[in-house]
Amino acid sequence: MNHEGRIERARAALNGSKIDALLVTNLTNVRYLTGFSGSNGQVLITKSGATFFSDGRYAARAADLVHGAEVAIYDARLTDLLPDSLARASIARLGVESTTVTLDEKDQLAKKISAELVPVKGVVEELRRVKEPEEITAMREAVRLADQAFDEVLSILKVGATEREVALELEIIVRRAGAEDVSFEPIVGSGPLSAHIHHSPSDRAIEAGDLVLMDFGALHEGYHSDLTRTVVMGSATDHQKEHYDLVLRSQSAGTEAVAAGATGVAVDAAARAVIESAGKGSEFGHGLGHGVGLDIHEAPRLHKISEDTLQAGEIVTVEPGVYVVGTGGIRIEDCVLVTQDGAEVLSKAPKHELIEIPI
Ligand code: ZN
Ligand code: ZN
């Protein structure tokens, strides 16, 4: 991955702002800017330089991984070195990431440094929205690994298997396929539990006639994928087919609305209108989708309350669902690349009809 230019772009955000420097403490942002992955690292970006800080455990790793910033290793804590760095660069107002720094950390910083702390948010997250070609390549592989895992998991779906067993198999399949990890703990919901939007797999054994909703992803080079498919154990009822078709049509409408310049509100509305016109609007109780990349959920959002406008090169999920309490839920989710004039659906796992698992 080529990290060159990223710190430069973050620095551009300092120009015209009220801060002289930015302290990046969100580890995903640190990884994006420098290439460093680990449990402790911070980046100070001033108008003329950049310093990566960590502790001794990461000295060798930082020397290997960090690009575009000087590496400084402290004994115990960031404030061992930060005051000097700030003084050398004459920093009077330091931007700190308000979504990461805790109140306690803020107090500690305020005690040790003389610069004024200015809460800022979203600076690096904004840069992360549009993916570079190499990032898109990594995402395509993360998506491909999830597609492959879906294909393989179908053969282990059996009446009597518990949701937890299927979730464990999914993790094994994803990792065996070559992923670094799963993107998140897989969601496997069966029968009435498939109506729980963010269900934790339980000991419920899958029964004939159940809808089985599986939401999972693969991690590749730090990039996440996110895929949901819903299948049925045995022959689908007309009712299940009808619901599936409704969600599929909603998903197509949402995907067709994706393009550079479309707002997150408009894309959400395009998919939601299909479900609302069938009188099921109240059974689609979440946003249509989210950006995905180094985090499983990142900007932009496709949601009623989104403030985002899509840009070419962003990767978002499109994931409408209809959840009927007591009966079951259906969700279909793909990762989609925003292009200048539309969208490229990256996920290739089959979805065009409700898959019936032989029982
Ligand atoms: Zn998902
Ligand atoms: Zn998702």
Short mmCIF file of all heavy atoms in Angstrom, two decimals, residues 184 215-216 226-228 290 319 331 333, ligand 1:
data_model
loop_
_atom_site.label_atom_id
_atom_site.label_comp_id
_atom_site.label_asym_id
_atom_site.label_seq_id
_atom_site.Cartn_x
_atom_site.Cartn_y
_atom_site.Cartn_z
N PHE A 184 -15.98 -8.89 11.24
CA PHE A 184 -16.70 -8.72 12.51
C PHE A 184 -17.27 -10.09 12.83
O PHE A 184 -17.26 -10.99 11.98
CB PHE A 184 -17.82 -7.66 12.40
CG PHE A 184 -18.78 -7.91 11.26
CD1 PHE A 184 -19.93 -8.66 11.44
CD2 PHE A 184 -18.50 -7.42 9.99
CE1 PHE A 184 -20.80 -8.90 10.38
CE2 PHE A 184 -19.37 -7.65 8.92
CZ PHE A 184 -20.52 -8.40 9.13
N ASP A 215 -24.77 -12.54 7.93
CA ASP A 215 -24.13 -11.24 7.67
C ASP A 215 -22.71 -11.36 8.17
O ASP A 215 -22.48 -11.58 9.36
CB ASP A 215 -24.91 -10.14 8.40
CG ASP A 215 -24.41 -8.74 8.10
OD1 ASP A 215 -23.35 -8.60 7.46
OD2 ASP A 215 -25.09 -7.78 8.52
N PHE A 216 -21.75 -11.24 7.26
CA PHE A 216 -20.35 -11.48 7.64
C PHE A 216 -19.45 -10.80 6.62
O PHE A 216 -19.92 -10.26 5.62
CB PHE A 216 -20.07 -12.99 7.71
CG PHE A 216 -20.27 -13.69 6.39
CD1 PHE A 216 -19.18 -13.93 5.55
CD2 PHE A 216 -21.54 -14.05 5.95
CE1 PHE A 216 -19.36 -14.53 4.31
CE2 PHE A 216 -21.72 -14.65 4.72
CZ PHE A 216 -20.64 -14.90 3.89
N ASP A 226 -18.33 -6.71 3.61
CA ASP A 226 -19.58 -6.83 4.36
C ASP A 226 -20.63 -7.41 3.41
O ASP A 226 -20.91 -6.79 2.37
CB ASP A 226 -19.98 -5.42 4.85
CG ASP A 226 -21.01 -5.43 5.96
OD1 ASP A 226 -21.48 -6.53 6.33
OD2 ASP A 226 -21.37 -4.33 6.44
N LEU A 227 -21.13 -8.57 3.75
CA LEU A 227 -22.04 -9.28 2.85
C LEU A 227 -23.18 -9.87 3.67
O LEU A 227 -22.94 -10.47 4.72
CB LEU A 227 -21.28 -10.42 2.15
CG LEU A 227 -22.09 -11.34 1.22
CD1 LEU A 227 -22.40 -10.62 -0.10
CD2 LEU A 227 -21.33 -12.63 0.93
N THR A 228 -24.41 -9.71 3.21
CA THR A 228 -25.53 -10.41 3.84
C THR A 228 -26.31 -11.17 2.78
O THR A 228 -26.63 -10.61 1.71
CB THR A 228 -26.51 -9.45 4.55
OG1 THR A 228 -25.79 -8.63 5.45
CG2 THR A 228 -27.57 -10.24 5.33
N HIS A 290 -23.70 1.96 4.57
CA HIS A 290 -22.60 2.70 5.19
C HIS A 290 -21.35 2.52 4.37
O HIS A 290 -21.20 1.52 3.65
CB HIS A 290 -22.37 2.17 6.61
CG HIS A 290 -22.20 0.66 6.67
ND1 HIS A 290 -20.98 0.05 6.50
CD2 HIS A 290 -23.09 -0.34 6.84
CE1 HIS A 290 -21.14 -1.27 6.58
NE2 HIS A 290 -22.41 -1.55 6.78
N GLU A 319 -27.99 -2.31 1.81
CA GLU A 319 -28.49 -3.43 2.60
C GLU A 319 -29.88 -3.22 3.20
O GLU A 319 -30.03 -3.14 4.41
CB GLU A 319 -27.49 -3.79 3.71
CG GLU A 319 -27.00 -2.61 4.56
CD GLU A 319 -26.08 -3.08 5.70
OE1 GLU A 319 -26.45 -4.02 6.41
OE2 GLU A 319 -25.01 -2.48 5.87
N ARG A 331 -32.56 -9.83 4.69
CA ARG A 331 -31.72 -8.70 4.33
C ARG A 331 -30.81 -9.17 3.20
O ARG A 331 -30.40 -10.33 3.18
CB ARG A 331 -30.89 -8.22 5.52
CG ARG A 331 -29.91 -7.11 5.19
CD ARG A 331 -29.37 -6.33 6.41
NE ARG A 331 -28.47 -7.07 7.26
CZ ARG A 331 -28.77 -7.48 8.50
NH1 ARG A 331 -29.96 -7.23 9.02
NH2 ARG A 331 -27.89 -8.15 9.22
N GLU A 333 -27.34 -7.70 1.26
CA GLU A 333 -26.32 -6.64 1.36
C GLU A 333 -25.16 -6.91 0.42
O GLU A 333 -24.61 -8.01 0.41
CB GLU A 333 -25.78 -6.59 2.80
CG GLU A 333 -24.61 -5.62 2.97
CD GLU A 333 -24.07 -5.55 4.40
OE1 GLU A 333 -24.14 -6.57 5.12
OE2 GLU A 333 -23.57 -4.48 4.79
ZN ZN B 1 -23.33 -6.60 7.05
#
